[in-house]
Amino acid sequence: MDANLVIDGVNNQVEMETPNNITIKGILGLLMANVDTENEENVNNNKKMVKKKVISLGMGDPTAYSCFHSPDVARDAVLETLGSHKFNGYSPTVGLPQTRKAIADYLSRDLPDKLCADDVYVTAGCTQAIETALSILARPGANILLPRPGFPIYALCAAFRHIEVRYFDLVPDKGWEVDLNAVEALADRNTIAIVVINPGNPCGNVYSYQHLQQIAETAKKLRTIVIADEVYGHLAFGAKPFVPMGVFGAIAPVVTLGSLSKRWLVPGWRLGWLVTNDPNGTFKNPKFVERIKKYCDICGGPATFIQAAVPRIIQQTEDVFFRKTINLLKWTADICCEKIKEIPCISCPHKPEGSMAVMVKLNLSLLTDISDDIDFCFKLAKEESVILLPGLAVGMKNWIRITFAADPSSLEEALGRLKSFCQRHSYQQNGRC
C-alpha cells in the first residue's frame, strides 16, 4: 500500500507516491520518543520514581559504546589527508584511483581471481551501494529476491525504483540458511538478482563455503546474479570462517557491497563500495559500465579526504585491532545468549556466529497485555528505557532483533531490565496460569 502525497504547483498538480516501508531508523526514533526516563519501581516494598539511563540495543552502531573504537591509524590517516590540503576538491565520481585500487587489493586477498581498480566503485556508505546496485539493475517489470528476515533498505530502494520484491525465507533451525527451493519457485525471467547478506544482519549467521556455493549454483541455474551484502565481512567468531561470495564469481556474477563501517568501527564516515566479481566478463559490457558511471555522476561519493585516507587505513591497520573486536563481539554475544536463557518468553533458535545482532522469538502465550512485537518494544521502552528492534521491521512479526555490540555492563543491565519486564508482564506474575 502506498500513501499518496499531492503537491500543488503554480499551474499544475502532481501526485506522488511515497513508499510506506518500515525503516529501522524510523521505528527506533519512535521508540526513543516513547521512553519515560522516570520509571516506577518497588524499593523496599515502597513505590518510588527512579531515573533510568536509556540503553539502546536497537541500532547497529557500536561506536555508541566506549569499548568499540576505531584504530588510531584511521584517525591519523584522515588527519594527514585533511591537513595536506590536497584533497579539498572533487574526486572522480567513481572514486579516487588510489582508493579503488586499495579496496580491490584488500578484497582480492580472499578471492581466487584478482580484482582491479576498475571493478570498484566508491560509495557513500553501504546504503548508497545498495541504492546504486538496484538502480542500475532496474528495468520495467523487474523483480528482486530478498531474504526474510533481512535489511529493510533493500525493499525501500526497490519501491522507489518500482522493482517488485519477492521474499524467500531464511530457516532459523538450519542456521538461517537460504531456502533454495523457495528461491527457485519465486524466480522468473524478470528476476534481476538474489540478495545474500553474510555475515547475517539481522540474524548473526555465517554461511558455510558449501551453502554459498549452492546459492551461486542456484543463481546460475536461474540465469541471474547475486548481490552479496558483506558490510559485516570478516566479523565472524564462530566455527565457520567468513567466505566472500566473490569466491564463486566464476559460477554466477556477483556484485559485492561493503564498507569500512563495521570492521573498522567508523559508520559515520560513510565510506562504502560496490564491486563487480565477474571473471567471465558479464559486467564488462561497455553499456553496463557506462550505466554505473553515469549513475555515480548523479550520486557523487564520500568526502575526498576520507577516500584519500583509505589506502593507509587498509594497509596499516594491525591484526591485533581486528582480533580485539572479534573477541569482544564473541564475549558480548555469549552474554546475550546466556541472559536470554533466563527469560522464558524469549528463545534464540541459533546462537550468533558473526555480525553484531541476533534474532530472538517472542512467546506471546506466556505474556499478558502484550499483543505483538511492536507493542512489546514500545512498552519495554516506556517502562525500562531499553530499546530493542521489533522483528516486524526486518520482516519477522513477533520476533525481536537484539544488537549485542555494546559494552558488557550495559548489555547485562539492559537484559536484566528485559527479564524484569517479562516477569512483570507474565501470566504467572499476574496470578494467571
Side-chain angles (χ1 to χ4, degrees):
M1 297 292 291
D2 289 326
N4 291 327
L5 174 66
V6 176
I7 298 179
D8 291 312
V10 176
N11 298 314
N12 62 349
Q13 192 177 70
V14 180
E15 186 172 300
M16 301 175 65
E17 294 181 349
T18 303
N20 66 353
N21 303 64
I22 294 175
T23 65
I24 291 175
K25 289 183 179 178
I27 199 161
L28 290 178
L30 294 174
L31 287 167
M32 285 296 295
N34 200 54
V35 167
D36 187 350
T37 54
E38 287 198 354
N39 309 95
E40 190 175 75
E41 282 192 355
N42 280 318
V43 180
N44 297 325
N45 294 321
N46 295 315
K47 289 186 176 180
K48 63 180 294 185
M49 301 305 292
V50 177
K51 284 193 174 183
K52 291 184 177 179
K53 178 184 72 172
V54 178
I55 303 177
S56 178
L57 304 180
M59 180 68 77
D61 183 356
T63 63
Y65 298 93
S66 59
C67 59
F68 290 97
H69 55 82
S70 59
D72 290 344
V73 69
R75 175 201 62 204
D76 295 343
V78 169
L79 289 173
E80 179 186 19
T81 57
L82 186 60
S84 73
H85 301 291
K86 296 178 180 178
F87 302 103
N88 293 330
Y90 295 120
S91 70
T93 56
V94 294
L96 290 173
Q98 62 268 39
T99 305
R100 299 175 77 190
K101 183 179 185 304
I103 294 169
D105 291 345
Y106 164 65
L107 296 177
S108 293
R109 298 173 190 172
D110 303 306
L111 298 174
D113 298 285
K114 185 173 175 61
L115 297 167
C116 68
D118 287 343
D119 296 319
V120 177
Y121 301 87
V122 184
T123 61
C126 195
T127 297
Q128 191 184 75
I130 294 170
E131 204 271 338
T132 300
L134 269 60
S135 296
I136 61 175
L137 292 171
R139 62 173 187 260
N143 65 74
I144 189 167
L145 308 188
L146 301 183
R148 181 172 52 204
F151 187 54
I153 290 296
Y154 283 94
L156 183 60
C157 288
F160 272 106
R161 297 303 174 202
H162 303 288
I163 301 170
E164 178 192 353
V165 170
R166 299 179 181 178
Y167 289 102
F168 58 87
D169 289 329
L170 305 182
V171 186
D173 295 333
K174 293 185 177 180
W176 297 103
E177 286 189 349
V178 173
D179 183 342
L180 293 173
N181 291 329
V183 168
E184 291 197 34
L186 289 168
D188 60 26
R189 61 186 180 86
N190 290 318
T191 300
I192 57 173
I194 305 167
V195 173
V196 176
I197 305 174
N198 180 52
N201 177 25
C203 303
N205 55 288
V206 175
Y207 290 142
S208 67
Y209 182 100
Q210 292 76 14
H211 188 57
L212 292 171
Q213 186 172 18
Q214 290 172 340
I215 293 170
E217 295 286 0
T218 301
K220 179 182 179 180
K221 180 179 178 180
L222 299 173
R223 300 176 66 83
T224 191
I225 73 168
V226 178
I227 294 177
D229 185 325
E230 296 176 356
V231 72
Y232 288 97
H234 293 281
L235 294 182
F237 43 80
K240 296 192 288 288
F242 166 67
V243 178
M245 193 74 209
V247 167
F248 309 101
I251 298 174
V254 176
V255 174
T256 298
L257 313 180
S259 74
L260 291 184
S261 300
K262 309 299 184 181
R263 196 180 188 204
W264 274 269
L265 304 175
V266 287
W269 290 12
R270 314 305 296 160
L271 193 295
W273 51 79
L274 180 155
V275 177
T276 55
N277 288 276
D278 178 31
N280 297 326
T282 304
F283 294 131
K284 303 298 184 185
N285 182 301
K287 288 185 178 180
F288 185 84
V289 173
E290 187 66 14
R291 186 171 172 84
I292 298 181
K293 288 181 176 179
K294 285 187 174 179
Y295 196 78
C296 289
D297 287 344
I298 296 172
C299 296
T304 307
F305 70 91
I306 296 288
Q307 291 190 49
V310 169
R312 182 180 172 190
I313 292 171
I314 288 177
Q315 293 160 12
Q316 296 185 18
T317 301
E318 297 180 353
D319 285 344
V320 65
F321 167 78
F322 298 129
R323 289 198 300 271
K324 180 181 177 182
T325 302
I326 289 295
N327 290 338
L328 185 53
L329 287 172
K330 186 179 187 306
W331 181 20
T332 54
D334 287 343
I335 290 172
C336 191
C337 291
E338 289 304 311
K339 292 295 182 182
I340 287 168
K341 290 177 183 177
E342 300 174 4
I343 307 174
C345 66
I346 297 176
S347 59
C348 177
H350 185 74
K351 186 176 181 179
E353 304 169 286
S355 79
M356 298 179 178
V358 61
M359 289 292 286
V360 297
K361 188 174 184 179
L362 282 177
N363 185 347
L364 295 177
S365 68
L366 299 179
L367 297 171
T368 182
D369 69 4
I370 301 290
S371 59
D372 56 25
D373 57 312
I374 298 285
D375 188 34
F376 182 96
C377 289
F378 271 89
K379 286 177 178 173
L380 177 67
K382 187 171 184 62
E383 296 178 25
E384 295 289 349
S385 300
V386 171
I387 306 296
L388 303 180
L389 184 71
L392 188 64
V394 294
M396 294 280 278
K397 185 176 181 180
N398 296 332
W399 288 67
I400 294 170
R401 187 187 79 169
I402 300 176
T403 300
F404 51 79
D407 71 72
S409 61
S410 294
L411 183 62
E412 290 187 347
E413 181 179 347
L415 295 173
R417 293 187 204 172
L418 174 62
K419 180 180 179 180
S420 297
F421 173 84
C422 290
Q423 289 174 335
R424 194 163 59 248
H425 287 270
S426 70
Y427 278 112
Q428 187 174 7
Q429 178 73 17
N430 287 274
R432 298 166 65 184
C433 298

